[in-house]
Amino acid sequence: YLQKLKRRGGDITTICASTVSTTKFKPAKDVCQVTCGTCSSHCVELGSNKAYWITYGKKNHKTTKCEKLANKSAEAQRKACDFDESPIKKGVAKVVCPVTCNEC
């Protein structure tokens, strides 16, 4: 996708520097880490693993996959990414989904 933008006259440096995110699209620096040179060996989403997301009531714990978390509202992402501990045997979002949580 980033190469398609470049062919249309987009400047990759400018596109990669953007931090703008929408409900449908994450910033290029997060999605196109190789092209933008923003990837590191430890900063990858952990595939199909689920992260602790939220608790309703006292024991109704919910989990989410990184791709689903990436499509949630910015507020929902912020809340999920703010957890430092999980009450269940699932990692917290900032560890399981570091790209989505801007931990890289």
Side-chain angles (χ1 to χ4, degrees):
Y1 180 76
L2 192 57
Q3 294 304 325
K4 187 176 179 181
L5 286 175
K6 185 179 180 186
R7 282 193 299 273
R8 285 202 245 152
D11 173 40
I12 285 188
T13 304
T14 303
I15 295 167
C16 290
S18 174
T19 57
V20 175
S21 182
T22 67
T23 56
K24 289 186 179 183
F25 301 104
K26 301 293 281 176
K29 68 179 184 65
D30 295 340
V31 179
C32 307
Q33 293 181 15
V34 173
T35 303
C36 291
T38 56
C39 58
S40 67
S41 60
H42 70 279
C43 195
V44 294
E45 306 280 63
L46 299 178
S48 62
N49 287 350
K50 291 185 177 182
Y52 168 67
W53 177 42
I54 196 166
T55 299
Y56 296 104
K58 290 187 178 184
K59 295 190 179 193
N60 189 5
H61 307 295
K62 299 292 181 186
T63 60
T64 186
K65 290 184 179 181
C66 296
E67 66 182 22
K68 287 189 177 186
L69 180 58
N71 289 320
K72 293 186 184 299
S73 71
E75 179 66 14
Q77 287 179 26
R78 185 192 60 73
K79 285 181 180 179
C81 294
D82 279 350
F83 287 111
D84 291 318
E85 294 181 13
S86 171
I88 57 176
K89 293 186 179 192
K90 295 288 180 188
V92 292
K94 67 173 72 176
V95 172
V96 179
C97 310
V99 175
T100 300
C101 290
N102 296 316
E103 292 290 317
C104 299

